[in-house]
Amino acid sequence: MSVRKHIVCDAIPFGYGPARILQKVLDLLGDGFKITLLANGSTLEYFSTYPISFVECNSYDEAELLQQLRSFDRVDLVISVENERMIRAANAAGQKTLFISLFEFIWESPLEALPEDTLVAVYRMLEQDEEIERAKKKYSKVAIVSGFDSSEPMSHSFDCERDFSLVHIGGLNSKHITQGHQSTYLLFVIQALDLAGRNLKKCLLVTHPQVVAASRHSKFVRGKKARVVSLTFQQYQHELLSCGELITTPGISSVVDAVQQGKLTHLLLPANFTQVHQLQQFNRIFRTKYPSFSDLSENYNVQAGASESCCNNQINHWIDAVANDIAALRTYSILFSRASGPDQFEIRVRQAKGLREWQKDVSENSESIASIAGRLLDPNT
């Protein structure tokens, strides 16, 4: 009887997006492997009901990751979604590695200290041809993986509470984003909804636990009786199925899941640096004109070549300015004005068409994750 190959994996605990990608990767790999997850935070929470073994481990502590990897009798492959610390620890332990990169459309230079022998799988979703070519030049070993499962059907069900708006505020749990910014961003969203005449009792605002905690100290939020909660991924998916529309920060997984389910999807101002780029790409794909900071003021322009921390600091200041600028708030709140039934249907059809074309485009010239893992698990490679 052959021994099953042992794959150890992790995903950076930055919201549910990276964990969602890891789940899709594991689903595509199938049942023929022993899987162990090293995780904490949102990733551990995401996989709490998933049928795999897991060890609670600080994903940001390279020494702790290395100690845990060395404790296993055998490791055939280490897979990490966007956590270079895991890859460096596995390299130090002499283990084969597969790094799944989600943001090649943003980063122009290689990740800091990523071991040269690492196979980098670009999980292609927003990348265009020039960015794929750039990735091939950046890394010594690179593979292109489609970010979509073409077998997932598109839904167009209208079986939902049409007056119920789900508002998702993600991407605020970066170490570069201050607590003050988190609170101000929430204030901006509630003010924009209020100006648009939305009934806040019919809105559910879902965000990070620390933002929920801050909201309880806000007289404005309490006065508007806004419902601000933190949900598990499974609870969030239930609310998404029930809502009539989603108003969300421009995160990849949240937008794709909503459009995939046929939900009318509105995009908020970016909450962090990566979302600035993602909003630009979503506007291109869906042929929409949701404004970013630069559309509200010529003073709000991300500087080329600036670091992530520098850009997030800029965004902190911009959000403060926008939240106190009634003209900017009115400009943005227009997007929240509820369209008539035919207009809603037209928008949903356009979004669904854009997603189908997007899926088709990124699936071309891509390799399956199962094929890549098979190569790495081959003892002759």
mmCIF file of all heavy atoms in Angstrom, residues 101 104-105 107-110 116 118-122 124 127-145 364-367:
data_model
loop_
_atom_site.group_PDB
_atom_site.id
_atom_site.type_symbol
_atom_site.label_atom_id
_atom_site.label_comp_id
_atom_site.label_asym_id
_atom_site.label_seq_id
_atom_site.Cartn_x
_atom_site.Cartn_y
_atom_site.Cartn_z
ATOM 1 N N SER A 101 0.909 33.322 -6.289
ATOM 2 C CA SER A 101 0.919 34.781 -6.272
ATOM 3 C C SER A 101 -0.400 35.310 -6.829
ATOM 4 O O SER A 101 -0.827 34.925 -7.917
ATOM 5 C CB SER A 101 2.087 35.299 -7.103
ATOM 6 O OG SER A 101 2.031 36.707 -7.207
ATOM 7 N N GLU A 104 0.280 39.812 -9.183
ATOM 8 C CA GLU A 104 1.311 40.151 -10.168
ATOM 9 C C GLU A 104 0.933 41.370 -11.006
ATOM 10 O O GLU A 104 1.787 41.990 -11.624
ATOM 11 C CB GLU A 104 1.555 38.952 -11.102
ATOM 12 C CG GLU A 104 2.370 37.860 -10.485
ATOM 13 C CD GLU A 104 3.736 38.339 -10.002
ATOM 14 O OE1 GLU A 104 4.413 39.071 -10.734
ATOM 15 O OE2 GLU A 104 4.111 37.993 -8.871
ATOM 16 N N PHE A 105 -0.358 41.727 -11.020
ATOM 17 C CA PHE A 105 -0.775 42.902 -11.772
ATOM 18 C C PHE A 105 -0.379 44.194 -11.054
ATOM 19 O O PHE A 105 -0.527 45.281 -11.597
ATOM 20 C CB PHE A 105 -2.287 42.889 -12.023
ATOM 21 C CG PHE A 105 -3.130 42.886 -10.771
ATOM 22 C CD1 PHE A 105 -3.634 44.068 -10.265
ATOM 23 C CD2 PHE A 105 -3.423 41.701 -10.113
ATOM 24 C CE1 PHE A 105 -4.403 44.064 -9.110
ATOM 25 C CE2 PHE A 105 -4.198 41.690 -8.973
ATOM 26 C CZ PHE A 105 -4.689 42.878 -8.461
ATOM 27 N N TRP A 107 2.637 44.256 -8.354
ATOM 28 C CA TRP A 107 4.043 44.342 -7.957
ATOM 29 C C TRP A 107 4.967 44.213 -9.160
ATOM 30 O O TRP A 107 4.901 43.247 -9.907
ATOM 31 C CB TRP A 107 4.382 43.249 -6.943
ATOM 32 C CG TRP A 107 3.384 43.141 -5.828
ATOM 33 C CD1 TRP A 107 2.703 42.030 -5.450
ATOM 34 C CD2 TRP A 107 2.953 44.185 -4.950
ATOM 35 N NE1 TRP A 107 1.874 42.309 -4.395
ATOM 36 C CE2 TRP A 107 2.004 43.622 -4.062
ATOM 37 C CE3 TRP A 107 3.272 45.536 -4.821
ATOM 38 C CZ2 TRP A 107 1.379 44.363 -3.070
ATOM 39 C CZ3 TRP A 107 2.647 46.278 -3.839
ATOM 40 C CH2 TRP A 107 1.715 45.692 -2.971
ATOM 41 N N GLU A 108 5.856 45.170 -9.319
ATOM 42 C CA GLU A 108 6.769 45.157 -10.459
ATOM 43 C C GLU A 108 8.077 44.446 -10.141
ATOM 44 O O GLU A 108 8.756 43.979 -11.043
ATOM 45 C CB GLU A 108 7.062 46.600 -10.908
ATOM 46 C CG GLU A 108 5.834 47.294 -11.468
ATOM 47 C CD GLU A 108 6.159 48.622 -12.107
ATOM 48 O OE1 GLU A 108 7.360 48.954 -12.162
ATOM 49 O OE2 GLU A 108 5.233 49.307 -12.543
ATOM 50 N N SER A 109 8.436 44.360 -8.878
ATOM 51 C CA SER A 109 9.684 43.699 -8.507
ATOM 52 C C SER A 109 9.386 42.404 -7.763
ATOM 53 O O SER A 109 8.317 42.243 -7.185
ATOM 54 C CB SER A 109 10.530 44.625 -7.627
ATOM 55 O OG SER A 109 9.778 45.021 -6.497
ATOM 56 N N PRO A 110 10.317 41.444 -7.764
ATOM 57 C CA PRO A 110 10.075 40.173 -7.061
ATOM 58 C C PRO A 110 9.874 40.380 -5.574
ATOM 59 O O PRO A 110 10.349 41.355 -4.993
ATOM 60 C CB PRO A 110 11.349 39.368 -7.329
ATOM 61 C CG PRO A 110 11.963 40.012 -8.528
ATOM 62 C CD PRO A 110 11.601 41.463 -8.444
ATOM 63 N N GLU A 116 15.237 31.477 -4.719
ATOM 64 C CA GLU A 116 15.312 31.430 -6.186
ATOM 65 C C GLU A 116 14.701 30.163 -6.769
ATOM 66 O O GLU A 116 14.152 30.189 -7.866
ATOM 67 C CB GLU A 116 16.784 31.544 -6.613
ATOM 68 C CG GLU A 116 16.951 31.643 -8.119
ATOM 69 C CD GLU A 116 18.402 31.860 -8.519
ATOM 70 O OE1 GLU A 116 19.200 32.273 -7.651
ATOM 71 O OE2 GLU A 116 18.720 31.607 -9.688
ATOM 72 N N THR A 118 12.088 28.586 -5.904
ATOM 73 C CA THR A 118 10.644 28.487 -5.704
ATOM 74 C C THR A 118 9.906 28.543 -7.034
ATOM 75 O O THR A 118 10.184 29.407 -7.870
ATOM 76 C CB THR A 118 10.148 29.642 -4.815
ATOM 77 O OG1 THR A 118 10.827 29.589 -3.577
ATOM 78 C CG2 THR A 118 8.649 29.550 -4.583
ATOM 79 N N LEU A 119 8.961 27.629 -7.233
ATOM 80 C CA LEU A 119 8.072 27.722 -8.385
ATOM 81 C C LEU A 119 6.953 28.696 -8.026
ATOM 82 O O LEU A 119 6.223 28.494 -7.052
ATOM 83 C CB LEU A 119 7.481 26.360 -8.752
ATOM 84 C CG LEU A 119 6.443 26.369 -9.888
ATOM 85 C CD1 LEU A 119 7.023 26.979 -11.155
ATOM 86 C CD2 LEU A 119 5.924 24.967 -10.162
ATOM 87 N N VAL A 120 6.829 29.764 -8.792
ATOM 88 C CA VAL A 120 5.795 30.776 -8.555
ATOM 89 C C VAL A 120 4.650 30.530 -9.527
ATOM 90 O O VAL A 120 4.819 30.597 -10.741
ATOM 91 C CB VAL A 120 6.358 32.198 -8.743
ATOM 92 C CG1 VAL A 120 5.260 33.239 -8.553
ATOM 93 C CG2 VAL A 120 7.503 32.447 -7.774
ATOM 94 N N ALA A 121 3.482 30.212 -8.982
ATOM 95 C CA ALA A 121 2.284 30.041 -9.801
ATOM 96 C C ALA A 121 1.495 31.341 -9.765
ATOM 97 O O ALA A 121 0.966 31.731 -8.723
ATOM 98 C CB ALA A 121 1.435 28.885 -9.276
ATOM 99 N N VAL A 122 1.454 32.036 -10.872
ATOM 100 C CA VAL A 122 0.679 33.265 -10.958
ATOM 101 C C VAL A 122 -0.782 32.877 -11.132
ATOM 102 O O VAL A 122 -1.174 32.326 -12.158
ATOM 103 C CB VAL A 122 1.154 34.142 -12.135
ATOM 104 C CG1 VAL A 122 0.257 35.371 -12.270
ATOM 105 C CG2 VAL A 122 2.598 34.557 -11.936
ATOM 106 N N ARG A 124 -3.817 33.669 -12.159
ATOM 107 C CA ARG A 124 -4.202 34.757 -13.050
ATOM 108 C C ARG A 124 -5.690 35.089 -12.943
ATOM 109 O O ARG A 124 -6.550 34.283 -13.235
ATOM 110 C CB ARG A 124 -3.864 34.386 -14.494
ATOM 111 C CG ARG A 124 -4.092 35.539 -15.464
ATOM 112 C CD ARG A 124 -3.753 35.173 -16.881
ATOM 113 N NE ARG A 124 -3.900 36.328 -17.755
ATOM 114 C CZ ARG A 124 -3.834 36.263 -19.082
ATOM 115 N NH1 ARG A 124 -3.611 35.110 -19.674
ATOM 116 N NH2 ARG A 124 -3.980 37.356 -19.797
ATOM 117 N N GLU A 127 -4.507 39.860 -14.243
ATOM 118 C CA GLU A 127 -3.316 40.093 -15.064
ATOM 119 C C GLU A 127 -3.671 40.191 -16.552
ATOM 120 O O GLU A 127 -4.510 39.450 -17.049
ATOM 121 C CB GLU A 127 -2.307 38.951 -14.878
ATOM 122 C CG GLU A 127 -1.528 39.018 -13.589
ATOM 123 C CD GLU A 127 -2.342 38.577 -12.404
ATOM 124 O OE1 GLU A 127 -3.409 37.980 -12.588
ATOM 125 O OE2 GLU A 127 -1.916 38.857 -11.277
ATOM 126 N N GLN A 128 -2.995 41.096 -17.232
ATOM 127 C CA GLN A 128 -3.065 41.172 -18.682
ATOM 128 C C GLN A 128 -1.742 40.661 -19.249
ATOM 129 O O GLN A 128 -0.812 40.359 -18.511
ATOM 130 C CB GLN A 128 -3.364 42.610 -19.107
ATOM 131 C CG GLN A 128 -4.720 43.094 -18.557
ATOM 132 C CD GLN A 128 -5.040 44.506 -18.968
ATOM 133 O OE1 GLN A 128 -5.332 44.773 -20.134
ATOM 134 N NE2 GLN A 128 -4.979 45.430 -18.015
ATOM 135 N N ASP A 129 -1.666 40.571 -20.569
ATOM 136 C CA ASP A 129 -0.529 39.904 -21.211
ATOM 137 C C ASP A 129 0.815 40.495 -20.804
ATOM 138 O O ASP A 129 1.777 39.770 -20.546
ATOM 139 C CB ASP A 129 -0.673 39.965 -22.741
ATOM 140 C CG ASP A 129 -1.794 39.066 -23.244
ATOM 141 O OD1 ASP A 129 -2.225 38.177 -22.476
ATOM 142 O OD2 ASP A 129 -2.250 39.259 -24.386
ATOM 143 N N GLU A 130 0.877 41.836 -20.706
ATOM 144 C CA GLU A 130 2.164 42.463 -20.380
ATOM 145 C C GLU A 130 2.610 42.116 -18.961
ATOM 146 O O GLU A 130 3.815 41.987 -18.693
ATOM 147 C CB GLU A 130 2.099 43.986 -20.570
ATOM 148 C CG GLU A 130 1.091 44.711 -19.722
ATOM 149 C CD GLU A 130 -0.262 44.867 -20.413
ATOM 150 O OE1 GLU A 130 -0.593 44.046 -21.302
ATOM 151 O OE2 GLU A 130 -0.985 45.817 -20.050
ATOM 152 N N GLU A 131 1.649 41.931 -18.055
ATOM 153 C CA GLU A 131 2.005 41.583 -16.680
ATOM 154 C C GLU A 131 2.427 40.126 -16.569
ATOM 155 O O GLU A 131 3.292 39.775 -15.761
ATOM 156 C CB GLU A 131 0.817 41.879 -15.756
ATOM 157 C CG GLU A 131 0.650 43.373 -15.517
ATOM 158 C CD GLU A 131 -0.798 43.826 -15.530
ATOM 159 O OE1 GLU A 131 -1.685 42.993 -15.789
ATOM 160 O OE2 GLU A 131 -1.036 45.024 -15.293
ATOM 161 N N ILE A 132 1.839 39.274 -17.392
ATOM 162 C CA ILE A 132 2.260 37.868 -17.432
ATOM 163 C C ILE A 132 3.690 37.767 -17.941
ATOM 164 O O ILE A 132 4.524 37.032 -17.394
ATOM 165 C CB ILE A 132 1.314 37.040 -18.330
ATOM 166 C CG1 ILE A 132 -0.081 36.965 -17.688
ATOM 167 C CG2 ILE A 132 1.862 35.649 -18.567
ATOM 168 C CD1 ILE A 132 -0.136 36.295 -16.348
ATOM 169 N N GLU A 133 4.011 38.515 -18.978
ATOM 170 C CA GLU A 133 5.375 38.510 -19.508
ATOM 171 C C GLU A 133 6.362 39.053 -18.482
ATOM 172 O O GLU A 133 7.483 38.567 -18.362
ATOM 173 C CB GLU A 133 5.434 39.333 -20.804
ATOM 174 C CG GLU A 133 4.721 38.683 -21.978
ATOM 175 C CD GLU A 133 5.195 37.260 -22.232
ATOM 176 O OE1 GLU A 133 6.432 37.050 -22.316
ATOM 177 O OE2 GLU A 133 4.349 36.350 -22.333
ATOM 178 N N ARG A 134 5.947 40.073 -17.733
ATOM 179 C CA ARG A 134 6.800 40.637 -16.691
ATOM 180 C C ARG A 134 7.090 39.601 -15.609
ATOM 181 O O ARG A 134 8.222 39.475 -15.128
ATOM 182 C CB ARG A 134 6.120 41.865 -16.079
ATOM 183 C CG ARG A 134 6.994 42.641 -15.112
ATOM 184 C CD ARG A 134 6.266 43.866 -14.599
ATOM 185 N NE ARG A 134 5.167 43.509 -13.697
ATOM 186 C CZ ARG A 134 4.173 44.323 -13.387
ATOM 187 N NH1 ARG A 134 4.116 45.523 -13.909
ATOM 188 N NH2 ARG A 134 3.224 43.935 -12.557
ATOM 189 N N ALA A 135 6.054 38.818 -15.233
ATOM 190 C CA ALA A 135 6.240 37.781 -14.213
ATOM 191 C C ALA A 135 7.230 36.721 -14.687
ATOM 192 O O ALA A 135 8.053 36.230 -13.911
ATOM 193 C CB ALA A 135 4.895 37.133 -13.880
ATOM 194 N N LYS A 136 7.169 36.362 -15.961
ATOM 195 C CA LYS A 136 8.068 35.336 -16.505
ATOM 196 C C LYS A 136 9.522 35.800 -16.462
ATOM 197 O O LYS A 136 10.445 34.986 -16.368
ATOM 198 C CB LYS A 136 7.660 34.987 -17.933
ATOM 199 C CG LYS A 136 6.349 34.210 -18.019
ATOM 200 C CD LYS A 136 5.955 33.923 -19.463
ATOM 201 C CE LYS A 136 4.671 33.114 -19.537
ATOM 202 N NZ LYS A 136 4.247 32.880 -20.946
ATOM 203 N N LYS A 137 9.742 37.120 -16.539
ATOM 204 C CA LYS A 137 11.094 37.659 -16.469
ATOM 205 C C LYS A 137 11.564 37.815 -15.021
ATOM 206 O O LYS A 137 12.754 37.786 -14.746
ATOM 207 C CB LYS A 137 11.145 39.021 -17.178
ATOM 208 C CG LYS A 137 10.921 38.925 -18.687
ATOM 209 C CD LYS A 137 10.879 40.311 -19.321
ATOM 210 C CE LYS A 137 10.615 40.225 -20.815
ATOM 211 N NZ LYS A 137 10.502 41.582 -21.432
ATOM 212 N N LYS A 138 10.611 37.992 -14.095
ATOM 213 C CA LYS A 138 10.952 38.251 -12.695
ATOM 214 C C LYS A 138 11.474 37.008 -11.987
ATOM 215 O O LYS A 138 12.378 37.085 -11.160
ATOM 216 C CB LYS A 138 9.709 38.758 -11.946
ATOM 217 C CG LYS A 138 9.405 40.216 -12.125
ATOM 218 C CD LYS A 138 7.999 40.556 -11.655
ATOM 219 C CE LYS A 138 7.755 40.193 -10.212
ATOM 220 N NZ LYS A 138 6.408 40.615 -9.751
ATOM 221 N N TYR A 139 10.858 35.850 -12.280
ATOM 222 C CA TYR A 139 11.152 34.638 -11.518
ATOM 223 C C TYR A 139 11.843 33.602 -12.392
ATOM 224 O O TYR A 139 11.560 33.494 -13.587
ATOM 225 C CB TYR A 139 9.860 34.055 -10.942
ATOM 226 C CG TYR A 139 9.069 35.024 -10.101
ATOM 227 C CD1 TYR A 139 7.872 35.547 -10.555
ATOM 228 C CD2 TYR A 139 9.537 35.434 -8.855
ATOM 229 C CE1 TYR A 139 7.144 36.437 -9.794
ATOM 230 C CE2 TYR A 139 8.818 36.333 -8.086
ATOM 231 C CZ TYR A 139 7.615 36.830 -8.557
ATOM 232 O OH TYR A 139 6.903 37.720 -7.800
ATOM 233 N N SER A 140 12.715 32.813 -11.778
ATOM 234 C CA SER A 140 13.424 31.786 -12.543
ATOM 235 C C SER A 140 12.499 30.633 -12.912
ATOM 236 O O SER A 140 12.696 29.971 -13.925
ATOM 237 C CB SER A 140 14.622 31.268 -11.737
ATOM 238 O OG SER A 140 14.191 30.731 -10.496
ATOM 239 N N LYS A 141 11.488 30.372 -12.083
ATOM 240 C CA LYS A 141 10.532 29.287 -12.356
ATOM 241 C C LYS A 141 9.124 29.844 -12.146
ATOM 242 O O LYS A 141 8.750 30.225 -11.044
ATOM 243 C CB LYS A 141 10.786 28.100 -11.420
ATOM 244 C CG LYS A 141 12.168 27.492 -11.574
ATOM 245 C CD LYS A 141 12.500 26.565 -10.419
ATOM 246 C CE LYS A 141 11.819 25.227 -10.567
ATOM 247 N NZ LYS A 141 12.302 24.268 -9.518
ATOM 248 N N VAL A 142 8.342 29.893 -13.217
ATOM 249 C CA VAL A 142 7.005 30.471 -13.126
ATOM 250 C C VAL A 142 6.020 29.648 -13.941
ATOM 251 O O VAL A 142 6.353 29.105 -14.995
ATOM 252 C CB VAL A 142 7.015 31.952 -13.596
ATOM 253 C CG1 VAL A 142 7.405 32.063 -15.056
ATOM 254 C CG2 VAL A 142 5.665 32.614 -13.353
ATOM 255 N N ALA A 143 4.807 29.526 -13.429
ATOM 256 C CA ALA A 143 3.710 28.857 -14.138
ATOM 257 C C ALA A 143 2.492 29.773 -14.074
ATOM 258 O O ALA A 143 2.320 30.544 -13.130
ATOM 259 C CB ALA A 143 3.394 27.507 -13.501
ATOM 260 N N ILE A 144 1.635 29.691 -15.080
ATOM 261 C CA ILE A 144 0.441 30.520 -15.139
ATOM 262 C C ILE A 144 -0.770 29.644 -14.890
ATOM 263 O O ILE A 144 -0.994 28.648 -15.578
ATOM 264 C CB ILE A 144 0.306 31.221 -16.513
ATOM 265 C CG1 ILE A 144 1.617 31.936 -16.879
ATOM 266 C CG2 ILE A 144 -0.861 32.189 -16.500
ATOM 267 C CD1 ILE A 144 2.065 32.967 -15.871
ATOM 268 N N VAL A 145 -1.551 29.999 -13.873
ATOM 269 C CA VAL A 145 -2.711 29.216 -13.464
ATOM 270 C C VAL A 145 -3.963 30.071 -13.628
ATOM 271 O O VAL A 145 -3.980 31.238 -13.244
ATOM 272 C CB VAL A 145 -2.592 28.779 -11.985
ATOM 273 C CG1 VAL A 145 -3.791 27.950 -11.567
ATOM 274 C CG2 VAL A 145 -1.309 28.011 -11.766
ATOM 275 N N GLU A 364 -7.153 30.984 -21.063
ATOM 276 C CA GLU A 364 -6.309 30.636 -22.197
ATOM 277 C C GLU A 364 -4.838 30.621 -21.771
ATOM 278 O O GLU A 364 -4.378 31.476 -21.024
ATOM 279 C CB GLU A 364 -6.532 31.631 -23.335
ATOM 280 C CG GLU A 364 -7.942 31.550 -23.932
ATOM 281 C CD GLU A 364 -8.188 32.604 -24.995
ATOM 282 O OE1 GLU A 364 -7.292 33.454 -25.204
ATOM 283 O OE2 GLU A 364 -9.264 32.568 -25.616
ATOM 284 N N ASN A 365 -4.107 29.647 -22.260
ATOM 285 C CA ASN A 365 -2.670 29.508 -21.990
ATOM 286 C C ASN A 365 -2.359 29.370 -20.495
ATOM 287 O O ASN A 365 -1.332 29.858 -20.016
ATOM 288 C CB ASN A 365 -1.895 30.714 -22.559
ATOM 289 C CG ASN A 365 -2.117 30.880 -24.042
ATOM 290 O OD1 ASN A 365 -2.051 29.910 -24.792
ATOM 291 N ND2 ASN A 365 -2.419 32.091 -24.474
ATOM 292 N N SER A 366 -3.266 28.736 -19.754
ATOM 293 C CA SER A 366 -3.052 28.499 -18.328
ATOM 294 C C SER A 366 -2.907 27.012 -18.067
ATOM 295 O O SER A 366 -3.420 26.176 -18.797
ATOM 296 C CB SER A 366 -4.223 29.053 -17.508
ATOM 297 O OG SER A 366 -4.331 30.452 -17.666
ATOM 298 N N GLU A 367 -2.203 26.694 -16.989
ATOM 299 C CA GLU A 367 -1.964 25.303 -16.605
ATOM 300 C C GLU A 367 -2.781 24.991 -15.360
ATOM 301 O O GLU A 367 -3.045 25.875 -14.546
ATOM 302 C CB GLU A 367 -0.468 25.111 -16.309
ATOM 303 C CG GLU A 367 -0.061 23.673 -16.081
ATOM 304 C CD GLU A 367 1.451 23.536 -15.915
ATOM 305 O OE1 GLU A 367 2.155 24.558 -16.026
ATOM 306 O OE2 GLU A 367 1.904 22.416 -15.656
#
